[in-house]
Amino acid sequence: MDFLLSDDQTALQSELRRFLTDRVDHDLRTAAAELPGAIDRVLWSELASLGVFGIHAAEDDGGVGLGLAEATVVFEELGRVAVPGPTISTCLAATLGVEGAADGTAVVGLIRADTLLVEHLDGLDTLLVHHDGLVETVAKPDGTLLPRPLDPLTPVSQVEAIPAGDEISKAGERVIQQGRLLAAAFQVGLGQAAVDLGTEYAGQRQQFNKVIGSFQAVKHLLADAVVGIDIARAGVHAAAVALDEAAASDGANDSGGRSMSVDAARLVASEAAQRACEACIQVHGGIGFTWELDAHLFLKRSLALDATFGTVHSSHDAVAATL
Amino acid sequence: MDFLLSDDQTALQSELRRFLTDRVDHDLRTAAAELPGAIDRVLWSELASLGVFGIHAAEDDGGVGLGLAEATVVFEELGRVAVPGPTISTCLAATLGVEGAADGTAVVGLIRADTLLVEHLDGLDTLLVHHDGLVETVAKPDGTLLPRPLDPLTPVSQVEAIPAGDEISKAGERVIQQGRLLAAAFQVGLGQAAVDLGTEYAGQRQQFNKVIGSFQAVKHLLADAVVGIDIARAGVHAAAVALDEAAASDGANDSGGRSMSVDAARLVASEAAQRACEACIQVHGGIGFTWELDAHLFLKRSLALDATFGTVHSSHDAVAATL
Amino acid sequence: MQLAPTADEAAFRAELRAWLAETLPGLAPKPDDREDWTAKSDYERMWQRTLFDAGYAGVSWPKEYGGRGSTPAEELIFLEETEAAGAPYVGCNFVGTLHAGPTIGAEGSDEQKKQYLPGILRGDDIWCQGFSEPEAGSDLASLRTTAYRDGDEYVVNGQKMWTSNAQVARYCELLVRTDPDVKKHAGITWLVMPMDAEGIEVRPLKSLTGGPEFSEMFLHDVRIPVENRVGDENDGWRVAMVTFGFERGTAFVSELLGTMALVADLVELAKRSGHWDDAGIRHGLARVSAELDAQWAYTKRNVSRAARDGNTGVGGSIFKLGYHETRHRLGDIAMRVLGRQGLAMGTRVSDEDHVEERLYALSLSIAAGTAQIQRNIVGERLLGLPRER
Amino acid sequence: MQLAPTADEAAFRAELRAWLAETLPGLAPKPDDREDWTAKSDYERMWQRTLFDAGYAGVSWPKEYGGRGSTPAEELIFLEETEAAGAPYVGCNFVGTLHAGPTIGAEGSDEQKKQYLPGILRGDDIWCQGFSEPEAGSDLASLRTTAYRDGDEYVVNGQKMWTSNAQVARYCELLVRTDPDVKKHAGITWLVMPMDAEGIEVRPLKSLTGGPEFSEMFLHDVRIPVENRVGDENDGWRVAMVTFGFERGTAFVSELLGTMALVADLVELAKRSGHWDDAGIRHGLARVSAELDAQWAYTKRNVSRAARDGNTGVGGSIFKLGYHETRHRLGDIAMRVLGRQGLAMGTRVSDEDHVEERLYALSLSIAAGTAQIQRNIVGERLLGLPRER
């Protein structure tokens, strides 16, 4: 057992963080929010060349062939800058060998067949639908872009019906499970970004002739936030590693005790991200309630992710079913 | 509308508080905890002479004939000193004209017929049972005093069966509702006592060369505690006044909007009391976890009251049923 | 303790209710466009004028400056009945009728009262508030906007923040620093700034829910006549606190009653969607509902205290701390009930917009004194705990 | 990131599991009387001796002073397997094996190591801790118990608090103030106090759950040989912190795994009583279970960090803050499931005593550093926020 990031994982993380910190900033996010439905294709292809979409796809399918552990490292980094676009579903599509997903030439969405709300519809090249354990490709339906999405970076269209499609995989449950896992990793990143932003502000902002971060009311809010995120991160990694190791060894290894399920990891990550984002807004006071700051984008994205690949509420049911 | 205490109510409150502050102190509570099941008959008769048990009983039955509003004022005061003994059920018995309840010569218990745990069994003169809207007197069953009650001041006996009894009232639902109301008032008193105790300590105790009450972590814990208690008190009073005014006018007065239900008041009071008592323990640190201090008695009594006259959990159901 | 109405209160409620039943159906529909600030404010001014003509403007204002001079209890009834009847909100008339107006009534000269108060009551003049600054939020008294005397005028420079309705206001109640060399509370002056003065630049800020609810306001050499000063020079902090002292416990009544309606709507939605079978959601809503009921009872206590003592003490802080927590909890339940319907605001799956409300709830622990500041107030003023330092 | 065991780890687990399966059935039953502190400690000493004889004592102690010298991962396996097998707890050997022993190992002289360490490992000598005082809780360094030199002895006077196992301990690791004239951290000395010395009065304190878990200890002119000093005079604060530095992230492992068992028992109880149909309770338990799983993962991260860096940084504080919150939440759910059965401890409606556990949980935000102190540590050391003042 060595549950710290390996050197390779740390290098992957650093490379991605270096790129994303420069590239995906407040201005980029603001611009994306003002063009709902559009996808920044240049950024998309840069992300692809960094291996973001192909991270867990087989090398034969143009992927990087790494595990879910690496994928969670990647998606936490994407979350830390709240990168716009359907990155998770495109990454999942790549694992299914969907044309163009791994190399960034296709933007792919993935929804359950029983929803009439489709995220990012206008910008999609391919829409996948999941039902009854199957994944199908469907013709992109017409939809009405809703004017006021919960998350400005998650444009949502209302469609009349989801057309019938062509089956491309029977591994729908597995794919959706991976989607929940990556959503949880993304939420950990969002929460960490909120902690960082809140901490930076609390360390500079003065009121009553003191840096506000010296007030316990502020310090403890941020401490509780980072506690939640740190523990949630471990949970997400554990769920990923458990799946990777089970896949590698068909479950023969006894790592002792029970392992972390994806639904458990997601539930914890969702709570932690929400708490951290709300703490960030609270620490900022009024300015945290405006678009001057990205705190609202972190919170809203986390809330939007709560409703993808099955709701967080359903993850409660899933965990309860194992008890 | 004038929702402050009337002069008479304030006088009642002051008189009772003056008596109880002197009379029911740490030593008395500790002594009572060491004699589980025993009732302090001298105190009992003093309480009776102050009108505690007869407060809401008709004057014809030897009662004081005041409203539930006054009764909640009284029981908050009893809660503030965590007075030992089945005061609520004895007060309820007095409203039913049970012999000796109002004048303090009888100690009366009241349970639901479907429980096999009886509070204060050894000390009771009379046991009332509530089922299907009826109140009955039953012969006191034999019981085994459990060695480790949740609340040292709420001794609990296990009985084999509740014997059949003689009906004394068909107003069982109303009586139990009043029991919940007085339990909520008692909890408000417990919570206020916890706030007072915690505040006093926080204003004296020094660590790091500062009075700990100046630390926001402590100050805000107590502030949230008193916020909860103050609002809960208003809720309990409103529920009492609503019942009194409905009884007086058969509901003809339009005081505007909806009124506070007993279950709603109870639910809020229970949450507030628990929060305040836990804050008190936390503020005290280690000493709050010992019997040196009464903080634990306040919390435990509040938890025990959560399970009387129907559980708090069932009050959630009752409120939901009105939505 | 009496919740039943007095004969006067009952009569007032009946009369008002009749008037509302008669008046509201004839009202123009509320403007729908969330972004059209002028249409919104015109509508609210029209409503204020309607109230004025019927004798319901300034229910809580003393008669001597044009109000109805009613008791706090009747003010509560007014707010309750207008909310229940679905009447328009006070909206952009908030600062005028509840902050600036009462301040001028208490501290202004006779000329100032004559000049400003009627316009507020009639809905002619919208006011905004220029108190907070980027560097002076919780620590309001550290404000930096300066004013120096130049003949009969003050010349004002600085930046204000969180100014609601700046786009449509005629006047601004403004706090400026006139003496930088004394302790921070001692060098502040209260001015009436006409919003058409030269040198005012208003920049709307987009709020979390997407609307331009408030603005930044940049002041460059804005000249304000000395006669616009209310109270003495450097006495503005006290004057501003008089405003806050007008608190009668009713500031959140419409909001609280509105939240009860929100709960009722969410309950209906949950029943329709099957979420009502989930005891967690059902009990969660029961708790929220019970808390709101208790907060409503507490509001009546505050109002009764204001009637007796003139103000509610720390009652406003206590209410706000309880209320914001309940709203946060409600918002979380709403998102669970909505599921994927929560992905957008304005989808009208029911009468209320629960997504917008969930986001809006975040402001309740920030605006008008953060939860942290309110806890300091309660801990220090009510519990008597020592200040830090 | 690798959770799968190495070959060594797998072998260690297999060997240990086999030994436990063979050994535990032959063990005497645990003494039942909650109040009989001596019977309890005798039993725990017997178990320590059994571990010692089998080579499992001091799994995490360096070999050079008698331990097994295992990796933190193997220590984790040890704790996991003993917990899973229902082996006795470390109990009264806690201070010796985890605090005093490692400190002496790191800072003591060769004579001291020879004198004290074998007795700890064999379970012969129980240790207690004399650090906290009535006026020095969170602010431990402000301790007031004094010691002055008188020839070859220190003469100690003062009062200690929260001393677990004082009734049965042979030695006490004691912090005393030897120089009152310097800054508070600089005048402290670390001594080994034999508990049979004259002048020690132990007064058990009843804890919230009713047991005598800890005591006050009054020290009147207690004479302690100078040779019992570990480290230099006035260097005791550093010596004591070395103890805390031994933290390998495993302090709460048995406790965490025990809580998982508690949840499983409560789930069974809820299923039997019908409360499982209540989605609020079901989802609440799901959340608690998920949080415990994440805390277990975080423990593995801490242990891995300790293996690499020698300690977990603020990982212990982070774990504790998460864990206490989960336990508080679990306690509330348990009381709802129990209903009136919650009116007493020890009623054995199921395998676990959920009422006692609910009360015990309150100590988790207090003992070994309050939640407030832990949040300061995380806010300052991890986030880099400034200290107050």
Side-chain angles (χ1 to χ4, degrees):
Chain A
M1 184 195 87
D2 174 16
F3 194 42
L4 298 180
L5 268 62
S6 68
D7 290 347
D8 284 350
Q9 288 165 340
T10 303
L12 173 69
Q13 183 183 56
S14 308
E15 183 193 4
L16 208 50
R17 190 173 300 175
R18 209 174 312 113
F19 169 77
L20 291 169
T21 308
D22 286 349
R23 186 67 174 85
V24 183
D25 59 3
H26 175 73
D27 291 344
L28 184 140
R29 285 183 289 266
T30 305
E34 281 165 12
L35 283 174
I39 300 287
D40 180 340
R41 294 285 178 157
V42 177
L43 175 63
W44 207 255
S45 119
E46 289 168 349
L47 291 172
S49 68
L50 284 158
V52 162
F53 303 125
I55 188 81
H56 190 50
E59 295 183 60
D60 288 350
D61 289 334
V64 187
L66 288 172
L68 288 169
E70 285 74 18
T72 58
V73 169
V74 166
F75 277 83
E76 178 183 341
E77 292 307 314
L78 300 184
R80 281 174 81 130
V81 296
V83 72
T87 50
I88 298 175
S89 49
T90 301
C91 177
L92 298 174
T95 68
L96 298 173
V98 169
E99 181 79 28
D103 66 14
T105 55
V107 177
V108 189
L110 172 58
I111 55 169
R112 276 171 47 149
D114 60 359
T115 184
L116 295 176
L117 294 178
V118 184
E119 294 98 328
H120 298 285
L121 180 66
D122 291 355
L124 297 181
D125 298 308
T126 307
L127 178 60
L128 304 181
V129 168
H130 162 247
H131 70 87
D132 300 321
L134 307 178
V135 182
E136 301 177 343
T137 53
V138 300
K140 232 175 85 171
D142 288 334
T144 311
L145 187 66
L146 299 177
R148 301 175 61 221
L150 162 63
D151 172 27
L153 297 186
T154 308
V156 179
S157 296
Q158 177 97 41
V159 299
E160 294 282 319
I162 304 289
D166 301 318
E167 178 183 327
I168 61 166
S169 168
K170 295 195 192 302
E173 288 306 333
R174 181 177 55 74
V175 169
I176 292 294
Q177 185 190 49
Q178 290 179 3
R180 283 199 288 274
L181 177 67
L182 299 187
F186 203 103
Q187 286 181 318
V188 167
L190 292 166
Q192 184 66 55
V195 168
D196 292 346
L197 190 63
T199 302
E200 189 189 346
Y201 186 74
Q204 291 170 352
R205 168 80 169 175
Q206 297 212 1
Q207 289 284 276
F208 305 105
N209 298 318
K210 281 192 190 179
V211 172
I212 63 169
S214 71
F215 290 113
Q216 285 184 337
V218 170
K219 184 184 294 175
H220 291 188
L221 205 57
L222 290 166
D224 279 336
V226 78
V227 162
I229 290 298
D230 261 13
I231 293 174
R233 181 185 293 112
V236 168
H237 286 167
V241 171
L243 288 175
D244 284 341
E245 292 182 356
S249 72
D250 55 54
N253 273 326
D254 181 2
S255 62
R258 48 183 196 185
S259 64
M260 186 90 202
S261 75
V262 167
D263 285 300
R266 185 203 197 179
L267 205 158
V268 171
S270 166
E271 288 279 354
Q274 181 178 323
R275 184 176 194 164
C277 293
E278 292 188 355
C280 177
I281 290 172
Q282 184 67 30
V283 162
H284 278 85
I287 199 76
F289 202 69
T290 72
W291 287 46
E292 303 294 300
L293 201 80
D294 289 333
H296 74 110
L297 292 180
F298 300 145
L299 175 63
K300 289 167 173 173
R301 180 70 77 93
S302 181
L303 292 174
L305 286 171
D306 279 350
T308 56
F309 310 114
T311 62
V312 162
H313 203 45
S314 69
S315 286
H316 278 85
D317 284 323
V319 173
T322 67
L323 297 180
Chain B
M1 184 194 88
D2 175 15
F3 193 44
L4 299 180
L5 268 64
S6 68
D7 290 347
D8 283 352
Q9 288 164 340
T10 303
L12 173 69
Q13 182 184 57
S14 309
E15 184 194 2
L16 208 49
R17 189 174 300 175
R18 208 174 313 115
F19 169 78
L20 291 170
T21 309
D22 286 350
R23 186 67 174 85
V24 183
D25 59 3
H26 175 73
D27 290 344
L28 184 141
R29 286 183 288 266
T30 305
E34 281 165 11
L35 283 173
I39 299 288
D40 179 341
R41 294 284 179 159
V42 177
L43 174 63
W44 206 255
S45 117
E46 288 168 348
L47 291 172
S49 69
L50 284 158
V52 162
F53 302 125
I55 187 81
H56 190 51
E59 295 184 60
D60 287 352
D61 288 335
V64 188
L66 288 172
L68 288 169
E70 285 75 16
T72 58
V73 169
V74 166
F75 277 83
E76 179 183 341
E77 293 307 314
L78 300 184
R80 281 174 81 128
V81 297
V83 70
T87 51
I88 298 175
S89 49
T90 300
C91 177
L92 298 174
T95 68
L96 298 173
V98 169
E99 180 80 27
D103 66 15
T105 55
V107 177
V108 189
L110 170 58
I111 56 168
R112 275 169 49 147
D114 60 1
T115 183
L116 296 176
L117 294 178
V118 185
E119 294 99 327
H120 298 285
L121 180 66
D122 291 355
L124 297 180
D125 298 308
T126 307
L127 178 59
L128 304 182
V129 167
H130 162 247
H131 69 88
D132 301 320
L134 306 178
V135 181
E136 300 177 345
T137 53
V138 300
K140 233 175 83 171
D142 288 335
T144 312
L145 187 66
L146 298 178
R148 300 176 60 220
L150 161 64
D151 172 27
L153 297 185
T154 308
V156 179
S157 297
Q158 177 97 43
V159 299
E160 294 282 318
I162 303 290
D166 301 318
E167 176 184 328
I168 60 166
S169 167
K170 295 195 191 302
E173 288 306 333
R174 180 176 57 72
V175 169
I176 292 293
Q177 185 189 49
Q178 291 178 4
R180 283 199 287 273
L181 177 67
L182 298 185
F186 204 102
Q187 286 180 318
V188 167
L190 293 166
Q192 183 67 54
V195 168
D196 292 345
L197 190 63
T199 301
E200 188 189 346
Y201 186 74
Q204 291 171 351
R205 167 81 169 176
Q206 296 213 2
Q207 289 285 273
F208 305 105
N209 297 318
K210 281 193 191 178
V211 172
I212 63 169
S214 71
F215 291 113
Q216 286 185 335
V218 171
K219 184 184 293 176
H220 290 188
L221 205 57
L222 290 166
D224 278 336
V226 79
V227 162
I229 290 298
D230 261 13
I231 293 175
R233 179 185 293 113
V236 168
H237 287 166
V241 171
L243 288 174
D244 284 342
E245 292 182 357
S249 72
D250 54 56
N253 274 328
D254 181 2
S255 62
R258 47 184 197 183
S259 63
M260 187 90 202
S261 74
V262 167
D263 284 300
R266 187 208 195 175
L267 206 158
V268 172
S270 166
E271 289 280 353
Q274 182 178 324
R275 183 175 195 166
C277 293
E278 291 187 355
C280 176
I281 290 172
Q282 185 66 30
V283 162
H284 279 85
I287 199 78
F289 202 71
T290 71
W291 287 46
E292 304 293 298
L293 200 80
D294 290 333
H296 75 111
L297 292 180
F298 301 144
L299 174 64
K300 290 167 173 173
R301 180 70 77 93
S302 181
L303 292 174
L305 286 171
D306 279 349
T308 56
F309 310 114
T311 62
V312 162
H313 202 45
S314 69
S315 286
H316 277 86
D317 283 323
V319 172
T322 67
L323 297 182
Chain C
M1 289 186 285
Q2 182 203 329
L3 290 172
T6 63
D8 282 355
E9 289 163 2
F12 177 71
R13 184 186 296 275
E15 177 208 302
L16 173 62
R17 195 177 282 181
W19 179 78
L20 286 166
E22 184 186 337
T23 308
L24 292 180
L27 234 51
K30 289 182 201 180
D32 210 27
D33 189 346
R34 302 180 67 259
E35 307 277 321
D36 187 343
W37 221 244
T38 310
K40 179 177 172 297
S41 66
D42 283 350
Y43 188 79
E44 288 157 355
R45 289 165 61 183
M46 174 278 294
W47 174 243
Q48 181 68 29
R49 177 64 189 233
T50 307
L51 287 173
F52 179 80
D53 291 341
Y56 292 117
V59 175
S60 67
W61 285 33
K63 280 191 175 153
E64 69 209 69
Y65 46 97
R68 191 181 176 96
S70 287
T71 62
E74 288 180 23
E75 192 191 344
L76 191 72
I77 290 168
F78 172 81
L79 293 166
E80 197 179 354
E81 290 295 328
T82 48
E83 174 72 25
Y89 288 110
V90 63
C92 64
N93 297 295
F94 181 80
V95 172
T97 56
L98 292 168
H99 281 143
T103 303
I104 293 170
E107 297 288 326
S109 65
D110 283 347
E111 291 70 32
Q112 287 171 331
K113 291 181 195 178
K114 273 183 215 140
Q115 185 180 353
Y116 298 116
L117 299 183
I120 293 173
L121 284 182
R122 276 201 307 265
D124 292 345
D125 300 335
I126 298 175
W127 284 64
C128 63
Q129 189 179 72
F131 285 10
S132 298
E133 299 182 1
E135 301 298 322
S138 289
D139 184 12
L140 180 60
S142 69
L143 60 90
R144 299 176 182 185
T145 294
T146 58
Y148 62 86
R149 276 287 276 274
D150 181 28
D152 287 347
E153 294 178 321
Y154 286 104
V155 182
V156 178
N157 281 283
Q159 182 184 352
K160 292 292 178 178
M161 197 77 174
W162 316 126
T163 309
S164 301
N165 298 302
Q167 308 95 315
V168 292
R170 178 159 182 199
Y171 297 112
C172 175
E173 51 168 347
L174 189 73
L175 288 181
V176 294
R177 183 161 306 284
T178 35
D179 186 346
D181 299 327
V182 292
K183 277 176 62 180
K184 63 183 177 181
H185 296 85
I188 293 172
T189 298
W190 201 103
L191 299 175
V192 177
M193 178 170 76
M195 289 298 287
D196 58 1
E198 299 251 326
I200 303 176
E201 186 197 336
V202 171
R203 180 176 160 248
L205 289 168
K206 207 167 179 177
S207 86
L208 195 131
T209 54
E213 268 93 57
F214 31 69
S215 304
E216 294 177 288
M217 196 165 60
F218 299 89
L219 308 175
H220 308 283
D221 288 337
V222 180
R223 304 187 80 87
I224 301 176
V226 169
E227 66 197 40
N228 285 22
R229 189 186 70 218
V230 172
D232 289 340
E233 189 168 290
N234 296 328
D235 195 27
W237 184 258
R238 188 190 61 75
V239 173
M241 290 304 113
V242 166
T243 309
F244 291 115
F246 269 84
E247 174 62 70
R248 294 175 147 224
T250 52
F252 279 84
V253 168
S254 301
E255 160 106 34
L256 177 63
L257 297 171
T259 299
M260 290 177 177
L262 199 60
V263 172
D265 184 76
L266 190 60
V267 167
E268 287 312 310
L269 184 58
K271 285 178 178 173
R272 281 203 305 279
S273 66
H275 282 95
W276 191 248
D277 296 334
D278 178 325
I281 285 173
R282 206 165 62 235
H283 293 166
L285 284 167
R287 181 175 170 193
V288 162
S289 173
E291 287 174 353
L292 294 171
D293 282 345
Q295 287 154 17
W296 181 226
Y298 191 74
T299 298
K300 291 177 180 168
R301 179 139 291 170
N302 271 341
V303 164
S304 301
R305 199 175 290 133
R308 201 178 283 186
D309 305 336
N311 68 66
T312 65
V314 298
S317 296
I318 288 178
F319 174 86
K320 228 172 145 269
L321 284 166
Y323 177 63
H324 93 80
E325 212 178 278
T326 302
R327 278 298 302 259
H328 280 229
R329 194 173 295 128
L330 173 60
D332 287 340
I333 298 171
M335 294 307 282
R336 273 160 66 193
V337 170
L338 287 170
R340 278 184 68 80
Q341 290 297 331
L343 283 173
M345 293 181 271
T347 52
R348 317 303 292 175
V349 292
S350 66
D351 288 344
E352 307 271 358
D353 192 336
H354 293 284
V355 180
E356 177 165 4
E357 293 286 352
R358 187 255 181 267
L359 295 176
Y360 162 75
L362 291 166
S363 72
L364 291 169
S365 49
I366 294 175
T370 64
Q372 286 71 32
I373 293 292
Q374 308 288 3
R375 291 189 188 107
N376 278 346
I377 289 172
V378 172
E380 290 161 16
R381 295 197 206 155
L382 179 62
L383 299 180
L385 292 170
R387 296 173 64 89
E388 275 186 288
R389 197 77 36 86
Chain D
M1 289 185 285
Q2 182 204 330
L3 290 171
T6 63
D8 282 355
E9 289 163 1
F12 176 71
R13 187 187 295 276
E15 176 208 305
L16 174 62
R17 196 178 281 181
W19 178 77
L20 286 166
E22 183 187 337
T23 308
L24 291 179
L27 235 50
K30 289 181 201 181
D32 210 28
D33 190 346
R34 301 180 68 259
E35 309 277 323
D36 188 343
W37 221 243
T38 309
K40 179 177 172 298
S41 66
D42 283 349
Y43 188 78
E44 288 156 355
R45 289 165 60 183
M46 174 278 294
W47 174 242
Q48 181 67 30
R49 177 63 191 232
T50 307
L51 287 173
F52 178 81
D53 291 340
Y56 292 118
V59 176
S60 67
W61 285 35
K63 282 190 174 156
E64 68 207 70
Y65 45 96
R68 191 181 176 94
S70 287
T71 62
E74 289 180 22
E75 191 189 346
L76 191 73
I77 291 168
F78 172 80
L79 293 166
E80 197 180 354
E81 291 295 327
T82 47
E83 174 72 25
Y89 289 110
V90 62
C92 63
N93 296 296
F94 182 79
V95 172
T97 56
L98 292 167
H99 282 140
T103 303
I104 292 169
E107 298 287 326
S109 64
D110 283 347
E111 291 71 32
Q112 287 170 332
K113 291 181 195 179
K114 274 182 217 143
Q115 186 178 354
Y116 299 117
L117 299 183
I120 293 174
L121 284 182
R122 277 200 308 265
D124 292 344
D125 300 335
I126 297 174
W127 285 63
C128 62
Q129 189 179 71
F131 284 10
S132 297
E133 299 181 2
E135 302 299 323
S138 290
D139 184 10
L140 179 59
S142 70
L143 60 89
R144 298 176 183 185
T145 294
T146 59
Y148 63 86
R149 276 288 277 274
D150 182 29
D152 287 345
E153 293 178 320
Y154 286 105
V155 183
V156 177
N157 281 282
Q159 183 185 350
K160 292 292 177 179
M161 197 76 176
W162 315 128
T163 309
S164 302
N165 298 301
Q167 307 97 314
V168 292
R170 177 159 183 200
Y171 296 112
C172 176
E173 51 169 347
L174 190 72
L175 289 181
V176 294
R177 184 161 305 284
T178 33
D179 186 346
D181 298 327
V182 293
K183 278 177 61 181
K184 63 184 177 183
H185 296 86
I188 293 172
T189 297
W190 200 105
L191 299 174
V192 176
M193 178 170 75
M195 289 298 287
D196 58 0
E198 297 253 324
I200 302 176
E201 186 197 335
V202 172
R203 181 177 158 246
L205 289 167
K206 207 168 179 176
S207 86
L208 195 131
T209 54
E213 268 92 58
F214 31 68
S215 304
E216 295 175 288
M217 194 164 61
F218 299 88
L219 308 176
H220 309 283
D221 289 335
V222 180
R223 304 187 80 88
I224 301 177
V226 168
E227 67 197 39
N228 285 22
R229 191 186 69 219
V230 171
D232 289 339
E233 189 168 289
N234 296 328
D235 196 29
W237 184 257
R238 189 191 61 75
V239 173
M241 291 304 113
V242 166
T243 309
F244 291 115
F246 269 85
E247 173 63 71
R248 299 177 144 221
T250 51
F252 280 84
V253 169
S254 302
E255 161 106 35
L256 177 64
L257 297 171
T259 299
M260 289 178 177
L262 200 60
V263 172
D265 184 77
L266 189 60
V267 167
E268 287 313 309
L269 184 59
K271 285 177 177 172
R272 280 204 304 279
S273 66
H275 283 94
W276 191 248
D277 296 336
D278 178 326
I281 285 174
R282 206 166 63 236
H283 293 166
L285 285 168
R287 181 176 171 193
V288 162
S289 173
E291 287 173 353
L292 294 171
D293 282 345
Q295 287 153 17
W296 181 227
Y298 191 74
T299 298
K300 291 178 180 169
R301 180 139 291 171
N302 271 341
V303 164
S304 300
R305 200 175 289 132
R308 201 178 285 185
D309 305 336
N311 67 67
T312 66
V314 299
S317 297
I318 288 179
F319 175 86
K320 226 172 147 268
L321 285 166
Y323 177 64
H324 92 79
E325 214 179 275
T326 302
R327 279 297 301 259
H328 280 228
R329 195 174 295 127
L330 174 61
D332 287 341
I333 298 171
M335 294 307 281
R336 273 159 67 194
V337 170
L338 287 169
R340 277 183 69 78
Q341 290 297 331
L343 283 172
M345 292 181 271
T347 53
R348 316 303 294 175
V349 292
S350 65
D351 288 344
E352 306 271 358
D353 193 336
H354 293 284
V355 180
E356 178 165 5
E357 293 286 351
R358 187 254 181 267
L359 295 175
Y360 162 75
L362 291 166
S363 74
L364 291 169
S365 49
I366 295 176
T370 64
Q372 286 71 33
I373 293 293
Q374 307 288 2
R375 291 191 189 105
N376 277 346
I377 289 172
V378 172
E380 290 161 17
R381 295 196 205 155
L382 178 62
L383 299 180
L385 292 170
R387 298 172 63 91
E388 275 186 289
R389 196 72 36 86

